[in-house]
């Protein structure tokens, strides 16, 4: 998958994937632990950013 065709997720979709609440997802975005972009005021998170976040958490726990 190229960057131009990367899947963009909404905050509720990320909440479901990570099994976290809305506030926690926004905390991760605010602290730059989870990469996101804004498109005309709508917050979107690349699916790859979610995967990278999870992998980083696994590495940190090891």
């Amino acid at each position: 998958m190229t960057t131009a065709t990367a899947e963009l997720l909404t905050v509720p979709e990320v909440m479901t994937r990570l099994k976290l609440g809305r506030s926690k997802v926004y905390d991760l975005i605010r602290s730059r632990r989870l990469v996101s972009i804004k498109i005309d005021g709508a917050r979107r998170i690349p699916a790859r950013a979610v995967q990278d976040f999870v992998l980083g958490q696994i590495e940190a726990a090891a």
Side-chain angles (χ1 to χ4, degrees):
M1 182 180 302
T2 65
T3 304
T5 60
E7 180 184 12
L8 296 176
L9 304 171
T10 63
V11 169
E13 290 171 331
V14 173
M15 290 167 53
T16 300
R17 287 187 183 201
L18 296 178
K19 305 217 180 341
L20 295 173
R22 183 177 181 271
S23 295
K24 185 59 178 179
V25 172
Y26 277 108
D27 284 345
L28 293 171
I29 292 169
R30 199 171 9 264
S31 66
R32 296 196 166 123
R33 292 173 62 202
L34 184 61
V35 175
S36 71
I37 61 172
K38 277 185 103 170
I39 302 173
D40 292 333
R43 182 67 60 186
R44 296 293 179 260
I45 301 95
R48 178 62 189 233
V50 176
Q51 181 181 16
D52 290 346
F53 172 76
V54 171
L55 291 174
Q57 294 299 300
I58 291 169
E59 288 176 9

